[in-house]
């Protein structure tokens, strides 16, 4: 048997508090197209970052062999020298530079001192031909569509004499024609002897193009399948992807009869000017008092965008459709209107847009509802401390005092401060976006318990989550999103990890 | 649960002196630096620096920069910068002069009119920033050029315009009147001393009241000794300043304006929801927006306030010079920005206090005044002031990183 072109042996990578990769073994034959699949957080991207040297040698344990030789990468430059090129979902092109300038960025063709534009351009034309792209090399990148930009990234990699090309969800942002083009190109590269590793959630396209598929789950290799020999199909893949161990125990909740409808969306669509495409398409959902509605879907399926578009649309999408709160149609001009209509939104990214890290616990908790503690135009700071103390003890926030800066708290406690802040506005509808991301099991359980007691009091909760066990363990009803659409709705009793995943990967 | 409550009441709201010092080291440091600078110049000038006359002058000279520094603090807190304030102040000063001298407007109409113009100009400058996300650097630089042109335009025919209105001129040059107490403390400004005394009594009473309210909430308060020490320190400070000022002409109208501005802005920033919202927008604009705070509204308000303070600055400066000149306002924005940064404002946003910036303005003005008295050449003065600015900011970064 020939030596594999790439072999990663017993790779283990730990982040504070999380084992992102646990003894992963990954082997790629020369000249094949090898797909890497798994849920969000399964460890695919981390594995590729280890391979490309983003996580340098020494920060992980295990060994990487390329063509049988042990490699110790200290950075991307080292891995590039070994013939590895990685193309991320977020393209690394400079929009204001031209196509040829981007292709040669960092490796400019010079005559010693000055850039030789003519030589660069003529080389660029050849390279562009290889990826089957017919554009003027002088065109600025920003004037090209995402599909073409993707191809230019590949052209850039090819220029560097790449042996192993890694593509991280290359078709996620592409339309069908562009996707087909890209897949055809990858097949073409295979014929030229380039080995490809492809990360993708689109199982149909994976099955269409892959020679071999490796499935990761919870940072471990589940299996490596030969598409032809093992007769792989979608259900088999999904089964391997999910089957995730349910390590969290979910607190029991008395199922109450659901109350009246608090929120309804009708034909809700959104267009993002920033991305230049539709991000939500004809979403229809309904949420009742006393229930937890889970919104499942992969990252990028439009879940967070859905939450933000309802919550006063701070990103200024172009919206169409109707939103009803308590049966009355509402047109929010901003988050303040949504808050007035008794909504709350605990964001996915508590550090980025949830909390003000340089301010203290009490200031964060009262920020969205200062009027409650303001008398005659003046904030009553003593009342503020009382309010903050109350939420600290109710939510068991561990902080020496409420004057502690939020950035000094642990992730779980920060998340509880976020919750406290939004409970203080006394909402009727609460949107929780990835409420337990990056926090430990104990804090998770506490947050689940709080959620249960809130819905028992008649609140309705919309929970967005990437973790299927959490969706299944906490929701009463589940919507599954994919590509900005609601792909399915089911009561939790009829849902399984497999059935949700099948909808989530349905593009 | 029970044990958690225990630890909470133990550590509770007590703040030991050391904790307070540690948490506020940046601000106390600048205060200490100010005292050191003042002592240094007092020694090198044989006491001339700390004389009543010099301190009084120093404060009057500082007034029109200090009011700008107050506004600039808020601008930088919300992560922006305003380069237009110098020429806005200059233009509004010239406008007042023209309105009074050529159009015969009464001074009591001119001042409010100019203030409204300042607010509108600030909000207009803010519009591209708030609505389109144009960098404030560009928008305010453009506005500064426009105001500079406007200043030249209105003074084109006449050059320097002399202001004769007594009330207007008093703003920058005169002092509050004194009361006549025959034979009691001759050579001292009695009303200044009385106001100082009232200030001391007021601060003692409000401190006692706040301590009592805190106790009624069952919050722990600093130990009685520390509390008394704080009160003694503050009283001594107010008393000393009043005593020095009373030795010359007493409290100037400039100082009255400055104290009012500081008082109002300190109150707004520390006690009201608007103040909270300003700091929240500076600390994390996205989080603030999602908390129902309109970032663009706050931007308008802060730039509007800056425009208002620019109008005050322009009035104070024109009044002090008895005239409007073609170069009025030149470099004011630099001085105001420097004062704010020396006073501990962070360009990263969300951090910085009004009182800190006033201390920063005092530091910069003391350096200038002290070096003038020592006869140090202006060239060296600029170098020293630049060095102090960079040192203050470097120190600020280091202490912040250590936290």
């Amino acid at each position: 048997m020939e030596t594999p072109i790439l072999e990663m042996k017993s790779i283990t990578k730990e982040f504070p508090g999380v084992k992102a990769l646990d003894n992963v073994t990954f082997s790629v034959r020369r000249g094949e197209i090898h797909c890497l699949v798994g849920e969000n957080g399964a460890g695919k991207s981390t594995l590729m970052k280890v391979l490309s040297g983003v996580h340098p040698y020494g920060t992980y344990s295990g060994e990487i062999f390329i063509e049988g030789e042990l490699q110790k990468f200290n950075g991307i430059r080292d891995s590039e020298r070994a013939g590895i090129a990685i193309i991320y979902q977020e393209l690394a092109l400079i929009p204001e530079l031209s196509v040829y300038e981007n292709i040669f960025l960092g490796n400019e063709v010079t005559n010693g001192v000055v850039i030789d534009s003519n030589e660069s351009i003529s080389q660029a034309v050849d390279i562009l031909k290889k990826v089957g792209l017919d554009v003027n090399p002088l065109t600025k990148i920003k004037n090209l569509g995402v599909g073409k930009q993707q191809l230019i990234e590949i052209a850039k990699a090819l220029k560097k004499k790449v042996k192993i090309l890694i593509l991280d969800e290359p078709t996620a942002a592409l339309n069908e024609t562009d996707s087909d083009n890209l897949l055809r190109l990858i097949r073409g590269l295979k014929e030229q002897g380039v080995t490809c590793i492809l990360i993708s959630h689109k199982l149909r396209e994976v099955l269409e193009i892959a020679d071999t598929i490796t499935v990761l789950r919870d940072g471990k290799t589940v299996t490596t399948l030969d598409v032809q020999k093992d007769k792989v199909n979608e259900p088999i893949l999904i089964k391997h992807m999910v089957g995730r161990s349910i390590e969290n125990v979910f607190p029991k909740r008395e199922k109450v009869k659901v109350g009246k409808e608090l929120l309804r969306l009708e034909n809700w669509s959104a267009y993002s000017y920033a991305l230049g495409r539709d991000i939500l398409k004809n979403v229809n959902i309904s949420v009742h008092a006393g229930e937890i509605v889970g919104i499942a879907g992969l990252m990028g399926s439009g879940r967070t965008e859905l939450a933000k578009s309802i919550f006063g649309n701070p990103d200024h999408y172009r919206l169409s459709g109707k939103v009803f709160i308590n049966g009355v149609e509402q047109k929010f001009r901003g988050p303040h209107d949504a808050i007035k209509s008794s909504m709350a939104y605990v964001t996915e990214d508590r550090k980025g847009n949830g909390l003000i890290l340089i301010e203290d616990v009490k200031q964060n908790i009262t920020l969205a509802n200062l009027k409650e503690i303001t008398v005659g135009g003046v904030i009553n700071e003593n009342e503020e401390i009382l309010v903050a103390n109350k939420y600290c003890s109710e939510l068991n926030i561990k902080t020496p005092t409420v004057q502690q800066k939020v950035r000094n708290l642990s992730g779980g406690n920060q998340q509880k401060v976020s919750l406290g802040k939004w409970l203080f506005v006394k909402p009727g509808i609460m949107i929780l976006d990835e409420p337990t991301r990056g926090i430990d099991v104990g804090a998770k359980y506490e947050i689940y318990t709080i959620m249960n007691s809130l819905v028992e009091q008649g609140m309705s909760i919309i929970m967005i989550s990437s973790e299927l066990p959490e969706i299944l363990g906490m929701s009463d009803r589940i919507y599954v999103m994919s590509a900005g659409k609601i792909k399915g709705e089911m009561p939790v009793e009829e849902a399984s990890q497999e059935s949700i995943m099948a909808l989530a990967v349905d593009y | 649960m029970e044990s958690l409550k225990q630890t909470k009441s133990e550590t509770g709201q007590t703040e030991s002196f050391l904790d307070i010092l540690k948490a506020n080291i940046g601000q106390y440091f600048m205060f200490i630096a100010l005292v050191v600078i003042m002592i240094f110049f007092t020694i090198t000038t044989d006491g001339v620096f700390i004389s009543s006359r010099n301190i009084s002058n120093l404060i009057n000279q500082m007034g029109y920069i200090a009011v700008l520094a107050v506004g600039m603090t808020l601008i930088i807190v919300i992560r922006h910068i305003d380069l237009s304030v110098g020429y806005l102040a200059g233009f509004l000063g010239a406008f007042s002069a023209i309105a009074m001298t050529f159009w015969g407007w009464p001074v009591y109409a001119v001042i409010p009119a100019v203030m409204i113009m300042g607010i509108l100009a600030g909000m207009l400058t803010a519009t591209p920033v708030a609505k389109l996300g144009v960098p404030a650097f560009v928008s305010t630089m453009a506005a500064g050029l426009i105001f500079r042109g406007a200043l030249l335009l209105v003074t084109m025919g006449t050059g320097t315009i002399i202001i004769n209105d007594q009330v207007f001129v008093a703003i920058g040059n005169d002092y509050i009147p004194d009361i006549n107490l025959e034979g009691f403390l001759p050579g001292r400004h009695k009303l200044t001393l009385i106001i100082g005394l009232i200030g001391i009594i007021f601060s003692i009473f409000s401190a006692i009241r706040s301590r009592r309210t805190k106790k009624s909430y069952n919050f722990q308060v600093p130990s009685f000794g520390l509390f008394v020490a704080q009160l003694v320190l503050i009283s001594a400070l107010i008393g000393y300043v009043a005593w020095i000022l009373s030795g010359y002409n007493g409290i100037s109208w400039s100082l009255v304006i400055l104290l009012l501005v500081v008082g109002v802005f300190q109150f707004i920033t520390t006690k009201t929801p608007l103040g909270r919202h300003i700091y929240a927008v500076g600390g994390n604009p996205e989080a603030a927006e999602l908390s129902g705070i309109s970032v663009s509204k706050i931007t308008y308000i802060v730039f509007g306030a800056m425009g208002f303070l620019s109008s005050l600055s322009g009035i104070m400066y024109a009044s002090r010079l008895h005239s409007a000149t073609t170069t009025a306002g030149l470099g004011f924005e630099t001085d105001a920005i420097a004062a704010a940064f020396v006073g501990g404002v962070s360009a990263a946003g969300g951090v910085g206090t009004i009182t800190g910036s006033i201390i920063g303005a005092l530091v910069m003005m003391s350096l200038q005044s002290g070096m003038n008295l020592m006869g140090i050449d202006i060239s060296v003065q600029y170098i020293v002031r630049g060095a102090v600015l960079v040192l203050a900011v470097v120190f600020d970064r280091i202490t912040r990183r250590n936290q």
Side-chain angles (χ1 to χ4, degrees):
Chain A
M1 193 182 147
E2 63 163 336
T3 17
I5 189 163
L6 168 71
E7 209 171 7
M8 301 178 80
K9 280 188 182 161
S10 336
I11 305 285
T12 298
K13 167 82 190 164
E14 283 183 56
F15 292 110
V18 214
K19 213 172 211 180
L21 295 175
D22 187 1
N23 207 11
V24 169
T25 296
F26 181 56
S27 166
V28 180
R29 277 176 294 142
R30 182 185 306 277
E32 69 169 346
I33 297 175
H34 196 130
C35 285
L36 200 51
V37 299
E39 284 183 278
N40 293 137
K44 304 171 308 249
S45 295
T46 313
L47 187 67
M48 290 305 106
K49 280 181 180 164
V50 167
L51 175 58
S52 63
V54 171
H55 298 309
Y57 182 77
T59 62
Y60 58 90
S61 67
E63 290 166 326
I64 301 174
F65 294 94
I66 290 184
E67 299 178 313
E69 263 177 63
L70 181 64
Q71 303 289 337
K72 297 176 178 178
F73 298 141
N74 275 317
I76 294 187
R77 290 233 149 211
D78 290 350
S79 66
E80 278 181 358
R81 219 166 287 141
I84 295 172
I86 180 158
I87 295 170
Y88 295 101
Q89 224 174 326
E90 290 87 30
L91 301 176
L93 298 170
I94 317 278
E96 288 295 332
L97 293 183
S98 68
V99 168
Y100 89 89
E101 284 169 316
N102 267 287
I103 290 177
F104 288 99
L105 196 66
N107 296 288
E108 284 78 4
V109 184
T110 65
N111 62 8
V113 187
V114 183
I115 292 179
D116 188 341
S117 318
N118 294 331
E119 178 60 28
S120 324
I121 292 168
S122 82
Q123 284 189 27
V125 171
D126 290 345
I127 297 166
L128 289 174
K129 241 178 241 158
K130 274 196 204 164
V131 296
L133 190 56
D134 183 26
V135 295
N136 183 345
L138 295 172
T139 318
K140 280 191 180 175
I141 290 292
K142 65 170 182 187
N143 296 328
L144 298 177
V146 195
K148 287 183 175 164
Q149 294 188 9
Q150 193 77 256
L151 294 179
I152 285 167
E153 278 274 22
I154 295 174
K156 204 173 148 184
L158 291 181
K159 204 214 104 255
K160 291 174 185 161
K161 311 259 178 327
V162 60
K163 285 184 215 153
I164 305 173
L165 182 66
I166 304 166
L167 297 143
D168 191 354
E169 294 202 47
T171 58
L174 301 188
N175 61 31
E176 225 156 288
T177 338
D178 284 344
S179 295
D180 288 346
N181 268 337
L182 186 74
L183 297 182
R184 206 172 310 127
L185 171 68
I186 293 172
R187 276 203 204 95
L189 291 176
K190 177 184 163 184
E191 276 156 29
Q192 292 170 35
V194 178
T195 310
C196 258
I197 301 173
L198 187 72
I199 300 177
S200 179
H201 286 303
K202 301 186 181 176
L203 299 186
R204 217 171 296 146
E205 97 188 7
V206 165
L207 288 169
E208 199 183 305
I209 196 168
D211 300 309
T212 314
I213 299 172
T214 294
V215 183
L216 289 185
R217 185 205 310 153
D218 292 336
K220 296 188 185 97
T221 320
V222 178
T223 180
T224 297
L225 304 164
D226 185 308
V227 176
Q228 298 299 325
K229 239 190 284 169
D230 297 331
K231 300 202 176 66
V232 187
N233 59 22
E234 272 190 61
I236 292 178
L237 275 183
I238 289 173
K239 206 165 163 227
H240 284 301
M241 282 165 72
V242 293
R244 200 167 179 183
S245 55
I246 301 187
E247 55 187 38
N248 302 324
V249 187
F250 296 94
K252 277 231 156 41
R253 165 158 48 102
E254 289 296 316
K255 299 271 173 180
V256 286
K257 246 188 87 192
V258 295
K260 63 180 174 116
E261 186 180 63
L262 291 185
L263 171 79
R264 185 167 85 247
L265 293 185
E266 286 182 1
N267 296 322
W268 190 249
S269 299
Y271 172 86
S272 160
Y273 294 100
L275 299 175
R277 62 186 162 92
D278 291 316
I279 45 172
L280 295 172
K281 292 163 205 157
N282 281 320
V283 171
N284 291 290
I285 62 171
S286 151
V287 181
H288 297 261
E291 67 171 348
I292 296 181
V293 172
I295 298 192
L298 296 163
M299 257 179 253
S301 59
R303 301 166 310 171
T304 297
E305 290 80 359
L306 176 64
K308 280 190 168 178
S309 70
I310 307 170
F311 193 71
N313 193 21
D315 293 343
H316 307 289
Y317 306 132
R318 188 179 65 213
L319 300 175
S320 65
K322 290 178 179 167
V323 51
F324 295 89
I325 307 281
N326 270 325
V328 183
E329 192 185 348
Q330 299 284 352
K331 286 198 178 348
F332 298 143
R333 284 159 304 168
H336 55 280
D337 282 348
I339 296 169
K340 259 184 225 146
S341 291
S342 84
M343 287 187 74
Y345 173 43
V346 180
T347 63
E348 162 188 38
D349 178 9
R350 57 182 167 264
K351 290 186 179 174
N353 59 15
L355 296 168
I356 298 177
L357 296 177
I358 58 170
E359 291 193 348
D360 62 25
V361 172
K362 65 178 163 53
Q363 287 168 330
N364 272 285
I365 286 180
T366 57
L367 183 65
N369 193 15
L370 279 172
K371 65 176 191 302
E372 181 100 8
I373 49 161
T374 303
V375 184
V378 180
I379 296 171
N380 185 336
E381 291 179 55
N382 296 314
E383 282 298 331
E384 182 174 36
I385 293 172
L386 285 188
V387 166
N389 279 341
K390 173 174 158 246
Y391 284 105
C392 280
S393 75
E394 273 178 19
L395 305 180
N396 198 16
I397 299 172
K398 293 185 190 78
T399 173
T401 70
V402 293
Q403 279 94 342
Q404 181 70 248
K405 294 233 157 75
V406 166
R407 67 162 171 223
N408 298 330
L409 303 186
S410 70
N413 282 309
Q414 287 181 347
Q415 187 65 2
K416 287 192 260 174
V417 172
S418 254
L419 263 180
K421 165 184 169 175
W422 287 110
L423 290 179
F424 185 49
V425 307
K426 306 187 173 91
I429 308 158
M430 200 164 197
I431 307 174
L432 301 175
D433 199 345
E434 301 282 4
T436 63
R437 171 179 295 170
I439 65 181
D440 63 71
V441 181
K444 277 186 184 178
Y445 190 86
E446 284 180 306
I447 285 177
Y448 296 145
T449 312
I450 295 163
M451 287 168 65
N452 281 347
S453 81
L454 292 176
V455 286
E456 274 163 20
Q457 292 161 29
M459 194 187 280
S460 57
I461 290 181
I462 300 172
M463 181 185 69
I464 297 170
S465 176
S466 296
E467 291 189 37
L468 294 180
E470 180 169 284
I471 289 275
L472 291 169
M474 291 302 296
S475 314
D476 295 302
R477 206 149 50 81
I478 299 163
Y479 289 104
V480 185
M481 285 190 79
S482 168
K485 290 181 217 145
I486 298 286
K487 285 286 176 177
E489 177 196 351
M490 53 192 110
V492 70
E493 296 79 14
E494 294 170 16
S496 65
Q497 297 200 32
E498 286 83 359
S499 62
I500 294 173
M501 189 50 77
L503 291 169
V505 296
D506 178 21
Y507 283 81
Chain B
M1 209 53 202
E2 198 50 45
S3 70
L4 186 85
K5 269 187 190 139
Q6 281 280 310
T7 51
K8 213 175 265 164
S9 66
E10 268 166 31
T11 49
Q13 272 68 44
T14 2
E15 283 181 277
S16 80
F17 181 67
L18 215 65
D19 288 338
I20 298 174
L21 196 71
K22 252 189 219 157
N24 299 298
I25 185 78
Q27 215 173 328
Y28 285 114
F29 177 82
M30 272 338 285
F31 187 72
I32 293 162
L34 175 66
V35 172
V36 170
I37 289 169
M38 290 182 135
I39 292 173
F40 172 80
F41 283 125
T42 303
I43 293 168
T44 54
T45 60
D46 290 330
V48 177
F49 179 83
I50 206 72
S51 70
S52 298
R53 189 194 165 93
N54 190 55
I55 293 296
S56 184
N57 265 330
L58 188 149
I59 288 172
N60 287 357
Q61 262 173 37
M62 185 183 86
Y64 55 86
I65 295 299
V67 291
L68 289 180
V70 168
M72 197 61 81
T73 306
L74 301 187
I75 298 268
I76 301 174
V77 161
I78 63 164
R79 304 181 172 193
H80 290 306
I81 195 81
D82 193 337
L83 302 176
S84 71
V85 296
Y87 284 111
L88 179 57
F91 167 70
L92 292 175
F95 183 87
S96 329
I98 290 168
M100 284 181 297
T101 313
F102 299 143
W103 305 341
W105 288 20
V107 64
Y108 298 106
V110 168
I111 290 174
V114 164
M115 286 174 172
I116 290 167
M117 284 172 72
I119 293 171
L120 292 179
M123 290 172 77
L124 197 64
T125 309
T127 302
V129 181
K131 286 289 162 209
L132 299 170
V134 170
F137 186 89
V138 177
S139 177
T140 61
M141 188 159 67
L145 289 172
I146 292 168
F147 297 140
R148 181 174 198 177
L151 169 62
L152 291 174
L153 204 64
V154 296
T155 54
M156 192 154 57
T158 52
T160 299
I161 305 162
I162 305 294
I163 300 169
N164 290 316
D165 187 282
Q166 287 314 304
V167 177
F168 191 85
V169 167
I171 293 169
N173 296 288
D174 281 359
Y175 299 81
I176 59 170
D178 199 4
I179 44 171
N180 201 1
L181 296 171
E182 224 32 79
F184 179 69
L185 284 173
R188 287 276 160 194
H189 195 274
K190 265 78 74 183
L191 186 58
T192 298
L193 289 177
I194 292 171
I195 289 174
L197 196 65
I198 292 172
I200 291 172
I201 293 170
F202 177 77
S203 61
I204 290 175
F205 267 101
S206 66
I208 290 174
R209 208 184 56 179
S210 133
R211 188 180 166 89
R212 209 174 278 157
T213 342
K214 275 211 166 135
K215 273 190 176 162
S216 79
Y217 276 90
N218 280 326
F219 295 158
Q220 290 200 19
V221 287
S223 70
F224 189 69
L226 189 65
F227 176 70
V228 171
Q230 269 177 344
L231 278 185
V232 169
L233 196 73
I234 291 168
S235 305
L237 201 67
I238 299 173
Y240 185 63
V241 173
W243 181 254
I244 288 190
L245 291 177
S246 74
Y248 189 54
N249 284 327
I251 295 172
S252 62
W253 287 114
S254 286
L255 182 56
V256 171
I257 293 172
L258 180 57
L259 288 176
L260 280 176
V261 165
V262 171
V264 169
F265 278 81
Q266 175 76 5
F267 175 78
I268 290 173
T269 51
T270 57
K271 300 284 179 205
T272 66
L274 174 61
R276 278 294 172 77
H277 290 177
I278 291 171
Y279 283 90
V281 166
N284 187 341
E286 282 176 68
E289 186 79 46
L290 285 172
S291 304
I293 300 164
S294 164
V295 175
S296 78
K297 192 172 108 191
I298 294 294
T299 309
Y300 274 117
I301 291 173
V302 169
F303 275 88
M306 182 81 254
F308 167 76
L309 293 169
S310 303
S311 74
L312 265 188
S313 172
I315 291 169
M316 289 163 87
Y317 187 70
S319 161
R320 189 162 170 73
L321 296 188
H322 295 264
S323 63
T325 66
T326 52
T327 56
L330 180 71
F332 284 14
E333 67 281 357
T334 320
D335 288 342
I337 293 166
F341 278 121
V342 169
V345 177
S346 160
V351 176
T353 60
I354 302 297
T355 46
S357 295
I358 292 296
I359 290 175
L362 270 171
V363 165
M364 296 308 269
M365 199 47 77
S366 299
L367 284 173
Q368 195 180 334
S369 160
M371 288 189 289
N372 271 338
L373 289 176
M374 287 171 71
I376 292 173
D377 191 74
I378 187 79
S379 55
V380 179
Q381 288 196 20
Y382 276 120
I383 294 170
V384 171
R385 280 159 67 193
V388 168
L389 171 59
V390 80
L391 275 178
V393 176
V394 166
F395 176 82
D396 189 61
R397 275 218 81 85
I398 292 170
T399 49
R400 223 182 283 284
R401 198 182 308 149
N402 288 347
Q403 265 176 22

